[in-house]
Amino acid sequence: MKQLWARIRALILLGVQALFIQPLRRLRRLGKSGESRFLEAYAPSGLLPLSELEEERRFRFSGCIHCGLCDVSCDARRNARGAEIGSLSGIVIGYSRSMTDYSYARLSVEQFEQCDDCDICEAACPVDVPIREIITDIREHMVRLAEVPGSRGGGGFRS
Amino acid sequence: MSVLDAEILVIGGGMAGVAAALSAVEAGRRVALVKRAPGATSMSTGAFDLAPHPRGWHLAKPDRDPTQLECLEALVRASPGHPYALIGRANEAEYLQEAFSFVLEKLEAGGLPHANFDPRDPGHHAVTSTGRLRRAASSQASHVLRDFNPDRARIGVVRLARCLGGLTGPPPMGGNVIEVDWPSSKNAPFLLPADIGKLLDEEGESRRFVEIVVAACKGRGFSHIVLPPVLGVFRTREILNELEEATRAVCCEALGGEASLPGIRLENALRRSLERAGVTVETGRTLDGAEVLERRGGPVVLASGRFIGGGVARRQGSMTETVFGLPIHDGESYLDDQPAEMLSCRSYRGPHSLFRAGLRVDDLLRPLDMGNRPLHETFFAAGSVIGGYDPHVDGCGLGVAVVTGYRAGRLAAGLEAS
């Protein structure tokens, strides 16, 4: 008898969940897609879902052997004193050290606004890393981050 | 003139390719050189090594070093597939002297003086980027640890506060570290050796730097002061002279490490040597082997490098030569289609097939096909695209590049025929 009452109670609880509590929850979330909830949760840390293009790029971007030849041949750095401008190799290295929040690379890109899209760095790279694409990729990522409400412009990594 | 129509075509612009181009020009030929991008030469330490101490420099006693010729002979005995073993003349002191003197003179004329080379001596002293003492066949003059007497030397090693690639590791022979807080930069988190070099090329900055180093070393009684390899891209000699005058000690640069500035100086000097010799140079170009074979009747020297230079790479799982698709050899056997993962072993100094991968050549430096026949009478190879040795563990990277490059250029020009 006790068992029977326990079972009936369990069924009632399930029924309340299914017929009232869950539908009320769904109603509260109405209009917000799964993606927007993901973004709300993770964008403040700088994490965004990767597009297929970004996935494909990540493989090609990771050949850097840390030789620093891109820094040496960069025109923008040649015309500035080394201490006043960020490091170009820092962007590539920062990219490969970051998770998909690109945390280290974002800082490096901000310190390197002077890139004017010549191709000297890519010509100097022994392993053909597509450096300009990396810079473009990160800048696009930063723009997308800034568009998410509440992301604080991707302020997850700031010193 | 398209480079493909040149009298002699050199593929690759590292030490081996440039040595070949220069020796062919010296023999009166018109030479064109095609290169893709910087390779291993541009990252070298500033030192030329012919062959290593047989038991490793870290075990060597400073006062009882073998001559470089003895080191080379030991290397050839240990590695019968080594390029030095193939070129009979590589064992002759005169030939080595000829090849090295030729290249080093060209570099000096290109603005980068080097230490004298003599294979009958043990080589000059130098300090590595990790603070170890060793010998080298020749180095850029700024690296030579002159007048070094191990019994009486007191060594000071200068470390710069925010320099990437500065000296790491304990100083040699129980010396002292001198920390120098220069440059003081608020913005950059770290500075590359080339950045500091550029800064020191300005007279005002180098004067300030010299003052700071002199003050830090005052009264310490150093006989030798070793600095990080950052003393200007162009004004190295002047800065060292100022330091030596003010400190009354022998001053030198350590050899390059990560982001090597000496490697960049060497790359610049090689480029200037090609210009002075009137070689037609094309940069940023990768040649298609089939096109080269179709259009060319004249001699070709392939000096495309190995993994960094891109002459040998892994394609579809196995190792191949990248311009002509030639088969890869490790000094003992062909690698065939073996996956790269099977070609290695546990010990760093062990016989890694992978790190000896390259072309098989005959004693006239001509690449061989699988039937051991030269592919073409006037098709030569030089440098690390040749297999059978490990440039790093065998301690002979630039040595092989100089000897094989010099010889390949002369062979291409019709000299040194068998």
Side-chain angles (χ1 to χ4, degrees):
Chain A
M1 222 16 219
K2 246 192 187 165
Q3 264 191 12
L4 184 56
W5 277 120
R7 289 224 177 113
I8 292 173
R9 207 166 39 234
L11 279 171
I12 292 173
L13 280 172
L14 271 173
V16 166
Q17 275 284 333
L19 298 173
F20 294 108
I21 298 185
Q22 288 302 333
L24 280 173
R25 276 208 184 131
R26 299 274 166 106
L27 268 175
R28 241 198 6 211
R29 290 188 214 146
L30 201 63
K32 275 198 204 171
S33 66
E35 187 184 349
S36 65
R37 283 188 286 128
F38 176 91
L39 288 176
E40 257 177 54
Y42 290 105
S45 308
L47 290 164
L48 293 175
L50 291 181
S51 66
E52 255 185 62
L53 179 62
E54 278 181 302
E55 285 284 356
E56 182 266 340
R57 274 165 164 178
R58 285 178 68 73
F59 193 71
R60 279 189 298 117
F61 288 179
S62 53
C64 174
I65 58 173
H66 301 199
C67 67
L69 286 168
C70 52
D71 275 312
V72 171
S73 30
C74 172
D75 247 357
R77 299 188 96 244
R78 196 192 310 272
N79 298 328
R81 290 168 116 242
E84 293 162 3
I85 187 173
S87 148
L88 179 52
S89 64
I91 297 175
V92 181
I93 295 171
Y95 179 94
S96 52
R97 298 275 168 88
S98 303
M99 297 196 298
T100 56
D101 61 353
Y102 298 170
S103 46
Y104 299 110
R106 273 189 270 138
L107 193 57
S108 300
V109 165
E110 280 165 21
Q111 286 181 335
F112 199 78
E113 290 169 0
Q114 290 86 343
C115 174
D116 63 1
D117 212 38
C118 70
D119 69 348
I120 292 181
C121 58
E122 291 181 351
C125 175
V127 288
D128 294 327
V129 173
I131 300 174
R132 286 180 296 172
E133 264 190 75
I134 296 178
I135 295 178
T136 308
D137 194 32
I138 296 168
R139 283 182 176 155
E140 279 171 11
H141 181 94
M142 286 161 78
V143 166
R144 281 170 59 207
L145 264 181
E147 286 167 358
V148 176
S151 72
R152 304 196 306 271
F157 178 78
R158 286 263 177 222
S159 55
Chain B
M1 172 189 72
S2 157
V3 289
L4 290 176
D5 300 322
E7 197 176 343
I8 294 184
L9 173 65
V10 176
I11 303 177
M15 176 58 66
V18 174
L22 293 176
S23 69
V25 166
E26 192 80 356
R29 300 288 186 264
R30 280 185 351 266
V31 180
L33 185 147
V34 172
K35 65 178 286 183
R36 179 190 61 94
T41 299
S42 64
M43 298 174 216
S44 56
T45 63
F48 284 72
D49 289 311
L50 185 67
H53 188 289
R55 284 192 330 278
W57 288 113
H58 60 292
L59 295 174
K61 300 195 197 312
D63 52 332
R64 271 188 275 138
D65 289 325
T67 68
Q68 294 173 74
L69 207 50
E70 287 166 355
C71 292
L72 187 147
E73 284 161 4
L75 181 59
V76 167
R77 274 196 304 273
S79 289
H82 200 285
Y84 289 156
L86 290 175
I87 313 173
R89 301 205 62 195
N91 294 329
E92 292 170 31
E94 291 76 23
Y95 190 72
L96 293 170
Q97 185 79 70
E98 193 187 304
F100 264 84
S101 297
F102 175 75
V103 170
L104 296 180
E105 267 165 37
K106 296 294 183 191
L107 289 174
E108 170 133 21
L112 194 61
H114 280 68
N116 276 335
F117 168 80
D118 185 347
R120 285 164 285 233
D121 72 31
H124 69 82
H125 289 286
V127 179
T128 69
S129 62
T130 53
R132 286 240 189 92
L133 201 60
R134 74 170 182 94
R135 290 189 183 269
S138 172
S139 299
Q140 296 171 22
S142 57
H143 298 300
V144 179
L145 192 68
R146 298 181 339 265
D147 308 328
F148 177 68
N149 183 335
D151 296 323
R152 286 204 302 266
R154 271 187 53 87
I155 300 182
V157 167
V158 169
R159 279 213 199 115
L160 298 185
R162 247 175 324 278
C163 173
L164 183 72
L167 294 184
T168 59
M173 312 217 68
N176 299 102
V177 173
I178 308 148
E179 300 277 358
V180 166
D181 184 25
W182 184 95
S184 48
S185 148
K186 295 182 286 292
N187 296 330
F190 61 81
L191 289 172
L192 294 168
D195 291 333
I196 300 184
K198 223 175 56 171
L199 213 52
L200 285 174
D201 273 338
E202 297 171 24
E203 277 196 45
E205 290 291 344
S206 68
R207 218 171 297 135
R208 177 91 192 105
F209 172 74
V210 168
E211 279 170 21
I212 294 178
V213 171
V214 167
C217 295
K218 206 176 173 78
R220 307 286 297 267
F222 292 126
S223 63
H224 294 77
I225 300 176
V226 179
L227 296 112
V230 297
L231 303 184
V233 186
F234 301 108
R235 288 186 59 235
T236 317
R237 189 69 257 161
E238 291 169 50
I239 297 171
L240 277 174
N241 285 343
E242 276 174 45
L243 278 166
E244 289 194 332
E245 248 184 66
T247 58
R248 302 239 164 273
V250 173
C251 297
C252 70
E253 284 184 319
L255 294 170
E258 196 178 321
S260 169
L261 177 55
I264 292 167
R265 293 179 190 144
L266 179 61
E267 178 88 358
N268 290 341
L270 289 173
R271 194 188 60 238
R272 284 194 296 270
S273 303
L274 290 175
E275 277 167 27
R276 292 170 60 97
V279 174
T280 307
V281 178
E282 229 179 270
T283 322
R285 181 133 175 227
T286 312
L287 288 180
D288 170 24
E291 196 189 352
V292 174
L293 291 171
E294 208 181 283
R295 285 180 63 169
R296 280 202 63 81
V300 173
V301 177
L302 181 65
S304 44
R306 207 176 283 181
F307 304 125
I308 299 178
V312 177
R314 178 182 167 159
R315 298 275 158 88
Q316 275 123 27
S318 55
M319 309 307 295
T320 184
E321 180 273 322
T322 56
V323 178
F324 297 93
L326 300 173
I328 293 295
H329 201 263
D330 67 357
E332 286 175 29
S333 54
Y334 285 100
L335 299 192
D336 296 326
D337 289 333
Q338 286 183 76
E341 292 82 2
M342 304 299 290
L343 301 171
S344 205
C345 56
R346 290 187 78 106
S347 158
Y348 164 64
R349 290 188 180 276
H352 299 255
S353 283
L354 182 61
F355 297 139
R356 297 179 175 181
L359 296 177
R360 183 157 195 226
V361 299
D362 63 10
D363 63 328
L364 293 181
L365 295 178
R366 294 177 303 194
L368 302 174
D369 62 19
M370 305 277 292
N372 284 346
R373 287 174 304 265
L375 284 149
H376 195 280
E377 281 304 300
T378 56
F379 177 45
F380 306 96
S384 59
V385 72
I386 299 176
Y389 75 108
D390 182 336
H392 305 290
V393 169
D394 288 348
C396 60
L398 287 182
V400 170
V402 166
V403 174
T404 58
Y406 177 74
R407 183 167 159 93
R410 288 164 63 80
L411 287 166
L415 306 171
E416 295 198 26
S418 57

